[in-house]
Amino acid sequence: MTSFDSPSQLNVWRALLALAVVFVMLATTGWTVVRNHRAAATPLDASLSAWERGSIGGRALPDPGAAPARLARFFASLDVHQRHRLAARYPLAVGNMNGAPVRLRYRANHIALDEARETERQRMHDERLSPAGQHEAGRRMHRYEDLLHKDRQILAFDPLGAGRIAEVFGDLGKAQRVSVVVPGVDTDVLNFQRTDREFSAPVGMARSLYLEERAASPSTRTAVIAWADYTAPSGLGMDAATGVRAEEGAVRLNTLVRTLPGRSPIALYCHSYGSVVCGVAADTLPSRVSDIAVAGSPGMRVANASQLHTSARVWATRDSDDWIQDVPYMEVGWLGHGADPVSSGFGARVLSAWGAKGHAGYFEPGTESLRNFAEIGVGAYRAVSCAHEDDVCQKALSDMAEAGRA
């Protein structure tokens, strides 16, 4: 058995091993896995193309890629029946259109989900598919049925490939504070919610946070978004070791927060690879993003918090049982994600995660991590619990307390 004289030697060995594995993967699978490929036409593209050729009340429809403010003015000029007609004709386009009224997007995505469910129902009995393909179609059909429940508020939906989706808990239009949960690898339509390990999936995370925020401050109107509206890496392969997916996701995350209704503060809760997305997005986010909290992070693609170039408060937490701590915190070219956000030199405010178990336990009810997230979400910063002996967090809370007494 190999022995090591110091922790630093062990870390060097881990880094070299990680690089060796990566180069073997590149040698056997080729460099094309990290290249961008031009996507073929998708159902969403088809809906957008139909929109571009459409009209309402004798008026041509605006460019779907126009500024959200212009699209908002267009929808405001329509009566309710015209808006509903557009949602029925172009459900995917309207359901994913920044600038469309939030409740109209919910309505359009309900229609799109119903259509997608019927497509998968037919595929279940398509003899051209293998038994595995028919089984997969059945799983998707049942997932769409779950999402079609009348109380669910689906803000975005794209059935292409593994699928992208976002769901809102609470009243987004009236919220005084908004929280966005940004999940990590293996996030897609099928894994958007779970019955087993409920709080490891985006729906369970967001619902748990929403209920905890309500308990922390019943008088504060909050909304929480389970945001799986980016193409996350599948498994711990090349995509998870690079920032390619994070760069694509960062663009979509920035668009989301810039087009949410109102002016209420927004807090981001970024789990695992989701923290890479948030790190890449940080310097482009609007000032209404007040907080970025990362949990179980492999890094944010910077050496320290100041390099994020954000006005948001940066928080970090990690449970002592989380296997992510054994991932080499490094960045070599486009491999790796940089420094450890809970390390003393990074400069984040490190939160207590007492009670959390493993990599997926941060949103479990009863944990300090969830309670801390909720206090941040409602703006009760002086109520958060810092990790033991974290000077940055303790000083920040002390400064807030002094400011409150001034």
Side-chain angles (χ1 to χ4, degrees), residues 205-336:
M205 292 177 179
R207 183 186 288 118
S208 181
L209 178 58
Y210 177 65
L211 294 175
E212 192 76 11
E213 287 180 350
R214 293 285 302 275
S217 181
S219 63
T220 303
R221 297 191 304 274
T222 64
V224 180
I225 303 174
W227 188 76
D229 194 26
Y230 81 105
T231 303
S234 178
L236 300 178
M238 282 300 303
D239 279 349
T242 72
V244 173
R245 297 294 189 191
E247 289 169 4
E248 297 168 353
V251 173
R252 300 183 69 84
L253 179 61
N254 185 40
T255 301
L256 169 79
V257 297
R258 287 185 177 277
T259 56
L260 288 177
R263 298 181 179 179
S264 54
I266 299 169
L268 305 181
Y269 300 88
C270 319
H271 177 245
S272 194
Y273 189 86
S275 66
V276 186
V277 177
C278 292
V280 175
D283 65 348
T284 63
L285 296 173
S287 58
R288 68 182 291 198
V289 176
S290 59
D291 299 270
I292 302 173
V294 301
S297 174
M300 301 181 75
R301 297 193 73 77
V302 293
N304 55 67
S306 66
Q307 293 180 354
L308 293 171
H309 302 296
T310 177
S311 59
R313 303 172 189 85
V314 181
W315 310 82
T317 192
R318 188 177 66 213
D319 172 53
S320 60
D321 294 332
D322 192 337
W323 58 262
I324 202 77
Q325 64 191 308
D326 295 322
V327 172
Y329 285 92
M330 63 174 193
E331 186 173 357
V332 180
W334 39 264
L335 293 173

Side-chain angles (χ1 to χ4, degrees), residues 80-319:
V80 65
H81 299 294
Q82 289 174 318
R83 294 190 202 112
H84 289 178
R85 198 149 61 240
L86 290 177
R89 288 178 185 171
Y90 318 105
L92 281 173
V94 175
N96 293 279
M97 189 172 292
N98 295 307
V102 167
R103 293 200 173 278
L104 186 65
R105 290 180 66 171
Y106 298 161
R107 183 185 186 93
N109 284 319
H110 187 94
I111 296 169
L113 280 161
D114 192 40
E115 293 178 353
R117 174 181 61 175
E118 184 56 34
T119 296
E120 297 303 328
R121 191 193 308 277
Q122 293 175 16
R123 293 181 70 246
M124 286 173 60
H125 306 290
D126 189 339
E127 295 182 353
R128 294 171 297 178
L129 295 180
S130 67
Q134 291 175 335
H135 175 72
E136 183 76 3
R139 291 182 65 205
R140 291 174 75 96
M141 190 271 289
H142 289 300
R143 170 62 69 239
Y144 295 153
E145 284 187 339
D146 290 339
L147 294 168
L148 279 167
H149 191 279
K150 63 182 180 64
D151 292 332
R152 303 193 73 163
Q153 303 177 135
I154 306 303
L155 184 65
F157 170 62
D158 184 352
L160 179 69
R164 296 195 300 252
I165 192 161
E167 181 173 9
V168 176
F169 297 87
D171 190 333
L172 192 55
K174 296 181 180 179
Q176 296 169 302
R177 302 190 71 93
V178 177
S179 298
V180 182
V181 175
V182 183
V185 300
D186 290 330
T187 297
D188 54 36
V189 168
L190 287 177
N191 294 324
F192 189 53
Q193 64 187 60
R194 297 178 185 272
T195 50
D196 63 317
R197 298 189 298 125
E198 175 185 359
F199 305 108
S200 67
V203 167
M205 292 177 179
R207 183 186 288 118
S208 181
L209 178 58
Y210 177 65
L211 294 175
E212 192 76 11
E213 287 180 350
R214 293 285 302 275
S217 181
S219 63
T220 303
R221 297 191 304 274
T222 64
V224 180
I225 303 174
W227 188 76
D229 194 26
Y230 81 105
T231 303
S234 178
L236 300 178
M238 282 300 303
D239 279 349
T242 72
V244 173
R245 297 294 189 191
E247 289 169 4
E248 297 168 353
V251 173
R252 300 183 69 84
L253 179 61
N254 185 40
T255 301
L256 169 79
V257 297
R258 287 185 177 277
T259 56
L260 288 177
R263 298 181 179 179
S264 54
I266 299 169
L268 305 181
Y269 300 88
C270 319
H271 177 245
S272 194
Y273 189 86
S275 66
V276 186
V277 177
C278 292
V280 175
D283 65 348
T284 63
L285 296 173
S287 58
R288 68 182 291 198
V289 176
S290 59
D291 299 270
I292 302 173
V294 301
S297 174
M300 301 181 75
R301 297 193 73 77
V302 293
N304 55 67
S306 66
Q307 293 180 354
L308 293 171
H309 302 296
T310 177
S311 59
R313 303 172 189 85
V314 181
W315 310 82
T317 192
R318 188 177 66 213
D319 172 53

Side-chain angles (χ1 to χ4, degrees), residues 12-35:
V12 169
W13 179 84
R14 285 173 173 163
L16 291 174
L17 178 60
L19 285 173
V21 170
V22 166
F23 287 126
V24 168
M25 290 175 65
L26 289 173
T28 56
T29 64
W31 294 85
T32 56
V33 291
V34 294
R35 293 178 181 167

